[in-house]
Amino acid sequence: MRFPRLTLCTAVLAVAAFAPAAQAVDGRGVSVTPSAPAAGADLTLRVTGCAGKTATAASAAFVADARLTGAGGNLAGETRVRSSAESGPYDVRITCADMEVEGRITVVTAKGGTAPASLASPAAPVDAGGGWTATHLSSMAPQAAGPGTGQAVTGLVLTGAAALAVVLRRGRRSRETD
């Protein structure tokens, strides 16, 4: 498990180091990696100069607004380009505590000539970890906590049997000593 994670981290660092970054039109410290993402691709946004600890990046090209976080004026976050986004330029608006920055990204056609039709996604929740048990227990109706009548009766029967065994054993010992 350790080596795949290490390999993945190394690959991400290599891509980030060698991929060109796009700068915003006004040059206020916004970068996008990769600079020309394909439809359906993940991208990383970075902004410098924000006084706050969070910012939001919005674009018609994104699946959802990107939440940027960080400290010391350097904020970063990730988002995905819509798989249905057409090739061409898209405006990006980053809003942080003390400023608003506008930039632009250019969505390109994926290698192979066409953009992907859609990304694979699960059709139902994935049974992870607990397998059937997690799904089964989550669908069960909640029950009252504590023992019920069945547990109380079982406890009384076992207590009575234990008491009877103690009495019989003492009786047997007393007969043997006489």
Side-chain angles (χ1 to χ4, degrees):
M1 188 68 179
R2 195 169 163 191
F3 291 117
R5 188 177 298 167
L6 179 63
T7 304
L8 178 65
C9 290
T10 304
V12 168
L13 286 174
V15 167
F18 295 110
Q23 293 295 324
V25 175
D26 58 6
R28 292 185 65 183
V30 177
S31 64
V32 180
T33 306
S35 60
D42 292 331
L43 58 95
T44 302
L45 296 157
R46 288 184 175 78
V47 63
T48 57
C50 279
K53 294 182 180 182
T54 63
T56 303
S59 175
F62 299 161
V63 171
D65 291 350
R67 183 167 187 259
L68 309 176
T69 58
N74 297 318
L75 307 177
E78 296 178 348
T79 189
R80 177 172 284 173
V81 177
R82 287 183 299 116
S83 59
S84 61
E86 295 182 18
S87 297
Y90 289 88
D91 290 330
V92 178
R93 177 173 291 188
I94 299 175
T95 307
C96 57
D98 61 340
M99 68 180 193
E100 190 170 284
V101 180
E102 291 188 15
R104 183 168 283 219
I105 63 168
T106 302
V107 176
V108 297
T109 303
K111 291 182 181 176
T114 60
S118 66
L119 297 174
S121 62
V126 178
D127 291 330
W132 172 85
T133 306
T135 305
H136 176 69
L137 293 178
S138 68
S139 66
M140 292 177 60
Q143 298 178 359
T149 306
Q151 288 92 356
V153 170
T154 303
L156 289 173
V157 168
L158 290 173
T159 303
L164 180 63
V166 168
V167 168
L168 291 175
R169 186 156 187 162
R170 281 189 183 172
R172 193 179 305 162
R173 279 188 184 171
S174 66
R175 277 190 245 141
E176 288 177 359
T177 57
D178 288 339

